[in-house]
Amino acid sequence: MTEIVYQLRNLAKEYAGRRVLDIDFLDIYRGEVLAIVGPSGSGKSTLLQLLNFLESPCQGTITFNGEVYHSARLPSLEVRRRVTTVFQRPLLLNRTVWQNVFYGLALRNSPEREQRARQALNQVGMLDAAHQGALSLSGGEGQRVSLARAIALQPQVLLLDEPTANLDPYNIRKIEDIIKDLNRDQQVTMVVVTHNIFQARRLAQRVAFLMEGKLIEVASNPAFFESPQDARTAAFVAGDMVY
Amino acid sequence: MITDFSEIITLSLRVSGIALFFSTLLGLPIGALIGLYRFPGRKLVVALLYTGMGFPPVVIGLLVYLLLSRSGPLGSLGLPWLPELFTPGAMIIAQTIISFPMVAGFTMAAILAIDPQLRQQIRSLGASEWQIAMTLLSEVRLGVIVSIVAGFGSIISEVGAVMLVGGNIAGRTRVMTTAIVLETRKGNFDLALALGAVLLGLTFLANLIMLRLQGKVLD
C-alpha cells in the first residue's frame, strides 16, 4: 500500500475574515507528483503555504509523516526542513549563485554541502555561473538556481508554485525535465501548482482541481483530463471556464 | 592655533563618533525589530520615529539641557555615571538622541522595502526566526550602512544642541560648528573658514559614501 505523506482534514485558512481555503479531505502519497490546478485566486498558493507550514491553518489538521499538526501545534524546525518551496519568482538573495545554493545547506550544517551544492547546480546546468551575482541572472536562469537551491536540500517534499510561469519554452522544458528526473530518480514527493493544464498533464500522476478555495475533484492523470466527473472540472479542462 | 584647530576637529570626531556608536547600537536593532515584526502600537512607534527624524536638534538640545541641569529631573538625582552639563558626555547624549531616529528609521525603511515573499522563501529554505532576521539584515546591509552614514551626517554638522549642552568651552567642549559660530562673531574669518572647509569636507565625504552605496543598491 502506498504510504501517505500528508493527510489534510477539514483544513481552512482565512485572511481578514475571508475564507480562502476550505479543504475537507486530501491525501498526498509518497513519491507522487500531484498537480494543483485552478483559476487565479482559488487558494492554490495558500495550500502550498500550509503544506510548507509557512502559514498555520485557522481550522483543521495536517498530518505529516504520521504526526498531526494544527493551529495550536506547529511542526518543529527540523520537521519544517523536510519540505521546501520553489516560488513563481526566483526570490534569490543578493549574493552569488553559489552562496544562494549553499544557503539552506549552511543553515542545516549539512554534511557534504559543497558536493551537494555543486551537484544541484550541475543538475540545473548553472555550475558555470556559480560565481556570478544571483540578481544579474535572467528570469529563466534565476528560476533554475532557485530550483537548485531547493533540490540541494534533498527535501522529502518539494512544493512548486507556478515554477515556469513567464518563462521561455527552453527554460520551461529544462525545469520540467529536472522535476521529472527528481521524481523518477529520487522519488521526491512533489506538489506543483500550475495554471497550465498541459503542464499538469506532462508532469503529474494525479491532478487536483481547486476552485474558490474548495477541492472540486482529484483524479489520476489522464482520467482527470479525459473523463472529469464534475462539470466545473470539465469546463476548466476544456478551457470554457470564465473567471 | 594649529593645536587648537586639531583639538577642535578631534573632539568633534570623538563626540560624533561615540554618539554614532550608541545610536547604531540602539537604532539598528530597534529599526530591525520594527521592520521585521508586527506588534501592537507599531504604527505609533513608527510615527514617533519619523517625528524624531524631523525633530529640530536645538529642541533636543534644550530638552537634554533641562534634563541634565542641576535642578532638572535627572541632574538633581546626582547620579555619578550621568554626564554633567557642559561636558563632552552631555554632547554625546544630545547627538545620540538626534542621530538615533535616523539610524533606526532608515534601517526600518530598508527592511520594509524587501519583497515580503523573500521572507517566506527564506523560511521555506529552513531558516529559524533568528536566521530569517539575520539574513534579511544582511540583504539590506548597504541600506544599514547608509542609515549609519545619514546618522553621522545629521550630527557632525549640528550646532544648536551642542552649543546648548556643551557650552562651547575652549579645550573642553568646543567642536567645529560651535567654533565656527564663535570665530565668525570675533571676526576671525580665516579660522572660521578653515574649520568650515574641514566640516564641509567631512559631510561631503559622508554623503559621497552614502551616494556610492545607494548607487550600488540601485545598480
Side-chain angles (χ1 to χ4, degrees):
Chain A
M1 192 181 153
T2 317
E3 201 180 328
I4 296 171
V5 180
Y6 283 106
Q7 289 174 301
L8 277 51
R9 299 290 180 266
N10 301 318
L11 194 70
K13 179 70 185 170
E14 287 178 5
Y15 288 112
R18 198 174 77 86
R19 189 158 284 211
V20 292
L21 194 72
D22 195 352
I23 292 180
D24 295 336
F25 177 98
L26 177 67
D27 287 345
I28 300 172
Y29 301 101
R30 186 174 300 279
E32 77 165 334
V33 178
L34 172 70
I36 312 278
V37 296
S40 300
S42 57
K44 303 189 296 290
S45 297
T46 305
L47 174 58
L48 283 201
Q49 287 172 352
L50 290 174
L51 292 175
N52 200 172
F53 305 106
L54 300 176
E55 297 279 348
S56 71
C58 58
Q59 178 196 302
T61 59
I62 301 176
T63 306
F64 178 61
N65 290 334
E67 290 289 323
V68 183
Y69 302 105
H70 46 78
S71 59
R73 182 173 185 262
L74 299 171
S76 66
L77 184 62
E78 195 202 335
V79 171
R80 200 155 55 73
R81 283 179 172 173
R82 293 183 201 153
V83 188
T84 191
T85 304
V86 173
F87 288 86
Q88 185 172 341
R89 287 179 295 124
L91 297 166
L92 298 171
L93 299 170
N94 187 9
R95 305 176 183 187
T96 64
V97 165
W98 176 263
Q99 286 168 331
N100 266 279
V101 177
F102 204 71
Y103 176 78
L105 295 164
L107 291 179
R108 289 162 173 73
N109 236 342
S110 304
E112 299 167 342
R113 42 190 187 269
E114 306 255 339
Q115 195 191 336
R116 279 165 64 175
R118 194 169 295 115
Q119 261 176 6
L121 274 173
N122 197 31
Q123 211 168 339
V124 301
M126 290 297 292
L127 190 55
D128 289 343
H131 299 293
Q132 266 189 45
L135 301 189
S136 69
L137 301 174
S138 70
E141 290 171 332
Q143 194 62 325
R144 273 149 62 196
V145 171
S146 177
L147 190 57
R149 181 170 63 174
I151 61 183
L153 304 175
Q154 299 177 349
Q156 181 190 349
V157 180
L158 180 59
L159 307 169
L160 301 123
D161 191 355
E162 302 275 11
T164 61
N166 310 320
L167 295 190
D168 57 280
Y170 170 79
N171 276 300
I172 293 176
R173 173 75 186 274
K174 192 107 189 159
I175 285 173
E176 286 187 4
D177 285 348
I178 298 163
I179 293 170
K180 281 191 256 184
D181 288 350
L182 267 178
N183 180 247
R184 190 190 55 231
D185 303 338
Q186 294 169 35
Q187 288 80 50
V188 179
T189 306
M190 295 192 208
V191 181
V192 187
V193 158
T194 179
H195 268 100
N196 185 337
I197 54 166
F198 300 106
Q199 183 169 62
R201 195 163 186 160
R202 286 194 296 267
L203 292 177
Q205 284 109 41
R206 284 198 310 149
V207 185
F209 178 50
L210 205 59
M211 195 179 153
E212 292 170 354
K214 298 226 178 245
L215 208 51
I216 307 296
E217 186 167 347
V218 186
S220 61
N221 183 8
F224 179 89
F225 300 99
E226 289 169 4
S227 50
Q229 300 299 302
D230 190 283
R232 289 165 293 182
T233 313
F236 183 76
V237 168
D240 294 336
M241 180 171 279
V242 179
Y243 52 84
Chain B
M1 180 75 92
I2 298 292
T3 325
D4 286 355
F5 191 73
S6 62
E7 249 180 34
I8 289 169
I9 296 170
T10 312
L11 184 68
S12 296
L13 289 173
R14 191 160 64 88
V15 167
S16 295
I18 296 172
L20 191 65
F21 171 77
F22 284 120
S23 60
T24 304
L25 207 66
L26 286 169
L28 196 65
I30 289 177
L33 276 175
I34 303 168
L36 286 169
Y37 304 107
R38 306 284 171 270
F39 50 86
R42 180 174 171 274
K43 277 187 180 161
L44 180 69
V45 177
V46 173
L48 286 173
L49 211 55
Y50 282 142
T51 309
M53 286 169 90
F55 215 70
V58 71
V59 179
I60 290 172
L62 174 65
L63 294 174
V64 174
Y65 185 98
L66 293 173
L67 280 173
L68 295 184
S69 70
R70 289 243 166 93
S71 53
L74 289 179
S76 59
L77 296 175
L79 301 168
W81 48 265
L82 196 72
E84 287 182 20
L85 268 180
F86 312 124
T87 61
M91 293 154 78
I92 289 168
I93 290 180
Q95 291 203 347
T96 303
I97 297 171
I98 294 165
S99 54
F100 157 76
M102 292 281 177
V103 179
F106 282 120
T107 301
M108 176 195 74
I111 290 175
L112 287 177
I114 296 177
D115 184 341
Q117 255 205 330
L118 181 64
R119 189 171 176 164
Q120 285 220 318
Q121 175 70 83
I122 294 168
R123 178 188 281 272
S124 157
L125 289 167
S128 63
E129 282 304 319
W130 173 251
Q131 287 166 331
I132 292 170
M134 288 299 107
T135 306
L136 290 177
L137 263 180
S138 145
E139 277 298 288
V140 296
R141 54 198 176 271
L142 293 179
V144 169
I145 296 170
V146 166
S147 79
I148 297 169
V149 176
F152 180 73
S154 72
I155 50 177
I156 189 72
S157 54
E158 191 283 323
V159 58
V162 282
M163 182 76 97
L164 275 175
V165 302
N168 195 22
I169 303 165
R172 280 189 61 203
T173 60
R174 184 159 300 163
V175 289
M176 281 188 281
T177 51
T178 55
I180 291 171
V181 172
L182 182 73
E183 297 305 330
T184 306
R185 280 190 187 148
K186 280 161 53 182
N188 290 336
F189 297 114
D190 291 352
L191 186 56
L193 276 172
L195 283 166
V198 174
L199 189 58
L200 206 61
L202 278 170
T203 43
F204 180 71
L205 197 70
N207 282 303
L208 203 65
I209 294 170
M210 193 155 80
L211 278 173
R212 285 201 59 139
L213 291 172
Q214 277 175 335
K216 258 192 178 175
V217 175
L218 295 174
D219 288 347

